[in-house]
Amino acid sequence: MDSLSVVILAAGKGKRMYSALPKVLHPIGGQPMLARVIATARQLQPAKIVVVYGHGGEQVREQIADPDIEWALQEQQLGTGHALKMALPQLPEVGRSLVLYGDVPLTTVETLQRLLAAADGGMSLLTDVLADASGYGRIVRDDAGRIVAIVEDKDCDAAQKAIREINTGMLVLPNDKLAGWLHALRNGNAQGEYYLTDVIALAVADGVAVPGVAVTSSWEAAGVNNKLQLAELERQLQLNQARALLTAGVTLADPARIDIRGRLEHGQDVSIDVGCVFEGQVSLGDNVQIGAYCVLNNVSVASGTRIAAYSHLEQAVVGADCRIGPYARLRPGAALADQVHIGNFVEVKNSKVGLGSKVNHLSYIGDADIGSKVNVGAGSVTCNYDGVNKYRTVIRDHVFVGSGSMLVAPVVLETGATIGAGSVISKNAPAEQLTVARARQLTVAGWQRPKKSS
Ligand code: UD1
Ligand code: CA
């Protein structure tokens, strides 16, 4: 098999995005469009991937920061043919090249494999048929149905305008012919550009057949020129991902109301209510239930755990059979063992919570090591920060912390200790005893409420 190179054209300016961010860096599914195209290309296992980037596109190179990518600079955007020519010195003299666009993010690997398989004689073209083909290059076929040329929209005569079969822009080319064809391109057309599409007629003149391969769905070939198109493709991507989850047995309350910006792994009988967002790498074990409007960013959740509505979890590890939320917040470094309960308006950061422990209401647990079967009462706080340094709070097994306690770190609550409600604990609390640190209750005899003078 001859070697495959992939060339991704990504030098276009993207003026209609009205953004300081280069077009191909705008995210789709939480990832720059260009990174997604590169990931798709990589699945074809090409010998190399060359990205043609534009003048001032250093930001693109820095953001993509991929050591396996080769870069070719196209200083002036003189057309798609000129863009490919910029990559020519980096392409081997033999083998084939697949041209992709950095702003067409949803093409599937399966379709590209079909395109490559069709390029038997060295060439093939990815096509689509649209109800409204305006703006696209039209595919011209001869009486025998063979592709003979592509005519750009702005260069079409009336008969060509009526053609509904369009060029997606993606094609496979034989490297040994490519240099000759690219040098033969001229820019005497409506846009004064060097059109890559003109190589079709040159190939046909050279006796090279150009079989067409149709996309499976039009979104595979849809490009992004503005925020509206970006939003539409984002919804398409999310719907595709939701369908894949449903097909794999995940229960989704509504496939139109889930956003996965990364990878979501799951076990069996997982159910997800509406409005949830999954970012980065998220894994959900068997029987996990996620309530409405939760956000999970780089989180792993073991089997049987239920996360109730409006909870936000970031870089956290959650054990099996836990109850989280509603309105819980797990911040980076939160590590919960099995059967832990974290209730409403509880924040946990950089802390371990042991087997079966409960922090159910309105508490802050930061930089703490909590053992098993601990109960932290409502409104308790680990005071971990003195304005300069952070200290740890250690709470050993079977401790009971009464409501409204302030635990001033560094401090240790020994096994089985009980802390009276409202205590400010700044010294270690001994095991199995009641420690109370609050002012004694006082009743003032004969005191009277002030009365209004009016
Ligand atoms: C191109 C095709 C057209 C096809 C359409 C599909 C040509 C001449 N026309 O038209 O037949 O129907 O795509 O969307 O190829 N780019 C560069 N450097 C340049 C010009 C473009 O890198 O000098 C890149 C762009 O960033 C983009 C891609 O090439 O990723 C396509 O460019 P664009 O201007 O969108 O091409 P169209 O005119 O839409
Ligand atoms: Ca375009």
Side-chain angles (χ1 to χ4, degrees), residues 9 11-12 74 77-80 83 101 103 136-137 152 167-168 195 197:
L9 305 187
Q74 184 195 26
Q77 278 72 67
L78 301 179
T80 49
Y101 288 178
D103 57 1
Y136 290 92
E152 288 305 297
N167 170 36
T168 66
Y195 292 161
T197 45

Side-chain angles (χ1 to χ4, degrees), residues 9-34:
L9 305 187
K13 282 200 187 72
K15 251 189 276 172
R16 282 172 286 165
M17 298 295 277
Y18 300 106
S19 170
L21 189 69
K23 178 163 79 172
V24 292
L25 292 182
H26 282 265
I28 182 159
Q31 191 184 23
M33 275 194 274
L34 178 56

Side-chain angles (χ1 to χ4, degrees), residues 17-293:
M17 298 295 277
Y18 300 106
S19 170
L21 189 69
K23 178 163 79 172
V24 292
L25 292 182
H26 282 265
I28 182 159
Q31 191 184 23
M33 275 194 274
L34 178 56
R36 187 166 285 274
V37 177
I38 290 171
T40 305
R42 194 162 274 142
Q43 289 184 63
L44 300 166
Q45 297 177 307
K48 66 163 76 189
I49 298 175
V50 184
V51 177
V52 180
Y53 72 108
H55 184 64
E58 287 310 316
Q59 204 184 337
V60 175
R61 290 185 64 157
E62 278 165 27
Q63 283 274 307
I64 297 295
D66 186 329
D68 298 331
I69 297 296
E70 295 186 27
W71 298 90
L73 176 64
Q74 184 195 26
E75 286 202 48
Q76 281 183 293
Q77 278 72 67
L78 301 179
T80 49
H82 180 260
L84 184 57
K85 204 169 167 183
M86 298 302 104
L88 201 53
Q90 280 149 270
L91 300 178
E93 279 169 24
V94 292
R96 298 182 299 173
S97 294
L98 166 65
V99 176
L100 302 177
Y101 288 178
D103 57 1
V104 178
L106 300 189
T107 321
T108 64
V109 183
E110 293 73 23
T111 289
L112 295 176
Q113 276 161 344
R114 280 193 297 126
L115 184 67
L116 286 165
D120 216 13
M123 211 158 159
S124 60
L125 184 67
L126 192 65
T127 66
D128 195 10
V129 176
L130 299 178
D132 176 10
S134 55
Y136 290 92
R138 308 298 206 286
I139 291 178
V140 181
R141 291 178 182 264
D142 67 11
D143 293 341
R146 287 175 299 226
I147 294 175
V148 290
I150 294 173
V151 184
E152 288 305 297
D153 187 63
K154 291 193 173 113
D155 301 291
C156 280
D157 60 30
Q160 290 163 335
K161 282 257 186 214
I163 299 172
R164 291 172 43 227
E165 189 183 18
I166 62 108
N167 170 36
T168 66
M170 288 169 264
L171 77 169
V172 178
L173 296 148
N175 290 5
D176 58 348
K177 302 265 176 32
L178 196 52
W181 294 342
L182 290 179
H183 288 296
L185 294 180
R186 295 292 171 264
N187 65 354
N189 49 51
Q191 301 185 80
E193 287 184 3
Y194 295 92
Y195 292 161
L196 178 56
T197 45
D198 285 348
V199 303
I200 304 299
L202 294 170
V204 171
D206 272 357
V208 177
V210 187
V213 170
V215 292
T216 309
S217 307
S218 288
W219 47 258
E220 286 199 74
V224 172
N225 296 308
N226 55 41
K227 295 276 174 83
L228 175 62
Q229 291 169 335
L230 180 61
E232 284 168 351
L233 286 190
E234 177 74 35
R235 289 341 301 161
Q236 184 64 55
L237 169 64
Q238 294 303 340
L239 196 56
N240 294 351
Q241 293 179 153
R243 284 178 176 152
L245 288 175
L246 289 165
T247 307
V250 175
T251 300
L252 300 181
D254 181 356
R257 282 184 288 170
I258 179 170
D259 284 83
I260 302 160
R261 303 176 189 146
R263 261 179 72 80
L264 177 60
E265 286 172 13
H266 59 84
Q268 264 192 4
D269 293 304
V270 166
S271 86
I272 300 170
D273 209 334
V274 297
C276 293
V277 178
F278 299 90
E279 297 169 327
Q281 187 79 26
V282 174
S283 87
L284 307 177
D286 293 346
N287 299 301
V288 165
Q289 294 177 19
I290 311 285
Y293 302 104

